[in-house]
Amino acid sequence: MRRVLSRVGVVALALAVALLPGVAGQSLGGLPLSAVGVGFVALVLYVALALPSPDWRMGRWVTLAFAVALALKVVAATTAPPLGLAASYWAKGAPDGPPERSTDFPSLTDATRIESVLDLRAEDFGVHFFNDAARFNLGPDVQPGRDQLPFFVRWRGFLLAASDGERTFSLTANGPAHVWLDDSQLAADARVSVSAGLHALQIEYMRPEATVPRLALSWQRDPGGPMVPVGGGDARWQSATASATLSTAAGVVADGLAAVTLAAWLGLAGTALARRRGSTFAAAIGAIPLLFLLHGMLLHAPLAGRATILSGLDDWLVYESSARDILLHGWLMDGGQGHAAPFYGQPLYPYVLAMAHRLTGESLFGPLALQFAALGLIVTSAAILARKTFGTHLDALVAVAALWLLLQLEAEHFKVARQMFNENLYM
């Protein structure tokens, strides 16, 4: 009983370290999970479910270390200044009406998202809202593709200067763009006298139709110093001058301690596995979803943190639209129209996809990587069912081999896994 309670406690603490809010740029920054966060949670679940527990005396040190990492993360989150700039997006060429909403920042009411650095190109812009089959690309044939539609962005916040002095500002954009500092509009290349402290900053950009969007705003953090992109610890989306040193340091230490503790837990569980030969089957079979997850993450790495705009006439665009509808409007959907009676969608994949996006963010990277992990879980489940039905490890291995052969012969399954969630695959 003590060992069970120890395992439950350490798993709860480890997941809290990964899922609770952190600071900007932290590897384990909370929801939505980064690629590192996805890997961390996957390893925690693997050690907890597939490997034997270490003895209580050793396991309590792992629990204590995760508790310290969690405390450091709380310190980082509570002392962090509001870094970044509030970005408001409009799916048109002018700021008309309320800005688009982001499922990564559901608490923002007057902006779309918080962006950390003003050095954006192509898919770096957070235009995930164009993946909406009900609102975009349903017009005449002459309408441009969804990935070529114009949009307008306004960034607002404050710029923190560390000292007095003249500084150079440089704006680069491939469409109409303007910068205001303390309500004074700057030229594309301007030299301005800046005093120490906070300065109101506003940038506007309009992406012309059918062009690759590009905007970069650079400045000299110190008079006479090198040009660097506006962002990092200098940009604040709220009026605050607090230093980010403490929160950043606490976040880095929390990440490092969590990684070391997970490695130690894995090592202790491996030692326990060596002593208990009967657990080898569970450890081997449980590693299959991890391998599939790793394959999916490597395969889709170029999509991480980017706004992939889906093409029309694809079922997965409809699924993506439904998932965004669920995340923004709740479990009852209205098809994005705002005038239809709310309804529940199909019982499985729109809600599974919405949960995947909630865990891993608006980018398609996370849901597609989890899709591969789910495919690996199907292989593992087949092995477990065969083991329980026929009674030997050999039967389980035969089931794995047979299902793996099926996946090779029926390449359509991998094609589906590379696209979007599909009920037929899991049935």
Side-chain angles (χ1 to χ4, degrees):
M1 184 64 180
R2 176 185 288 185
R3 183 168 290 172
V4 172
L5 292 176
S6 174
R7 177 180 291 210
V8 171
V10 70
V11 170
L13 285 171
L15 293 180
V17 170
L19 298 176
L20 290 182
V23 296
Q26 190 177 357
S27 297
L28 299 177
L31 294 177
L33 294 171
S34 64
V36 173
V38 171
F40 182 88
V41 170
L43 281 175
V44 167
L45 295 178
Y46 171 70
V47 178
L49 299 176
L51 298 182
S53 299
D55 60 64
W56 165 252
R57 197 176 346 180
M58 299 302 296
R60 63 185 179 182
W61 290 110
V62 174
T63 304
L64 178 61
F66 276 130
V68 173
L70 180 60
L72 287 171
K73 188 172 182 181
V74 171
V75 170
T78 54
T79 60
L83 300 181
L85 296 172
S88 299
Y89 283 79
W90 286 268
K92 55 192 73 175
D96 182 19
E100 298 290 339
R101 296 180 61 191
S102 167
T103 59
D104 283 355
F105 301 88
S107 62
L108 287 180
T109 58
D110 56 351
T112 305
R113 56 193 297 112
I114 304 299
E115 292 181 337
S116 57
V117 179
L118 286 186
D119 188 5
L120 306 173
R121 180 193 302 273
E123 293 88 356
D124 295 336
F125 289 86
V127 291
H128 307 84
F129 49 85
F130 279 131
N131 285 331
D132 190 329
R135 295 175 55 204
F136 302 105
N137 249 25
L138 296 179
D141 294 338
V142 296
Q143 187 169 339
R146 187 178 290 100
D147 60 339
Q148 298 181 0
L149 294 173
F151 60 83
F152 185 93
V153 197
R154 174 185 290 150
W155 294 271
R156 280 182 172 174
F158 299 88
L159 188 62
L160 180 61
S163 61
D164 298 338
E166 282 196 338
R167 290 170 169 83
T168 299
F169 287 79
S170 178
L171 175 66
T172 301
N174 68 343
H178 308 281
V179 180
W180 290 266
L181 185 69
D182 291 329
D183 297 326
S184 297
Q185 186 170 348
L186 305 183
D189 291 289
R191 188 160 183 82
V192 183
S193 179
V194 179
S195 60
L198 287 176
H199 299 269
L201 181 66
Q202 177 174 313
I203 306 96
E204 293 183 350
Y205 168 69
M206 197 274 284
R207 179 259 180 104
E209 183 179 298
T211 62
V212 178
R214 169 65 172 151
L215 181 131
L217 178 63
S218 302
W219 76 311
Q220 292 175 310
R221 297 186 71 248
D222 300 303
M227 300 291 291
V228 296
V230 168
D234 304 321
R236 311 292 171 95
W237 61 280
Q238 292 178 336
S239 179
T241 59
S243 172
T245 303
L246 175 59
S247 60
T248 302
V252 170
V253 175
D255 284 350
L257 180 58
V260 171
T261 304
L262 179 58
W265 187 19
L266 185 60
L268 291 173
T271 302
L273 176 65
R275 294 198 303 265
R276 305 173 202 168
R277 299 289 184 179
S279 302
T280 306
F281 171 77
I285 294 299
I288 293 177
L290 278 181
L291 296 176
F292 273 74
L293 175 63
L294 178 61
H295 176 62
M297 293 175 70
L298 293 175
L299 186 65
H300 297 291
L303 301 180
R306 295 180 174 271
T308 304
I309 307 304
L310 300 174
S311 61
L313 305 179
D314 283 336
D315 286 345
W316 66 329
L317 174 61
V318 177
Y319 307 154
E320 184 74 3
S321 301
S322 298
R324 287 184 58 83
D325 192 6
I326 292 167
L327 290 172
L328 294 176
H329 305 116
W331 295 101
L332 285 172
M333 299 182 289
D334 64 2
Q337 301 299 312
H339 54 73
F343 63 91
Y344 281 104
Q346 296 186 45
L348 180 62
Y349 52 80
Y351 296 95
V352 173
L353 180 56
M355 181 177 66
H357 273 298
R358 185 70 190 96
L359 287 173
T360 62
E362 287 184 302
S363 168
L364 296 183
F365 166 78
L368 289 173
L370 293 181
Q371 173 90 354
F372 272 79
L375 192 59
L377 189 61
I378 293 172
V379 177
T380 296
S381 300
I384 294 173
L385 287 172
R387 169 69 176 84
K388 290 184 176 296
T389 302
F390 300 107
T392 68
H393 295 336
L394 179 60
D395 297 312
L397 294 177
V398 169
V400 170
L403 190 52
W404 181 259
L405 180 62
L406 173 65
L407 292 176
Q408 299 303 315
L409 295 177
E410 297 290 339
E412 184 71 16
H413 291 306
F414 277 108
K415 179 182 178 182
V416 169
R418 293 186 64 176
Q419 292 184 348
M420 199 52 69
F421 288 88
N422 185 290
E423 283 180 314
N424 297 330
L425 174 64
Y426 299 114
M427 289 181 180

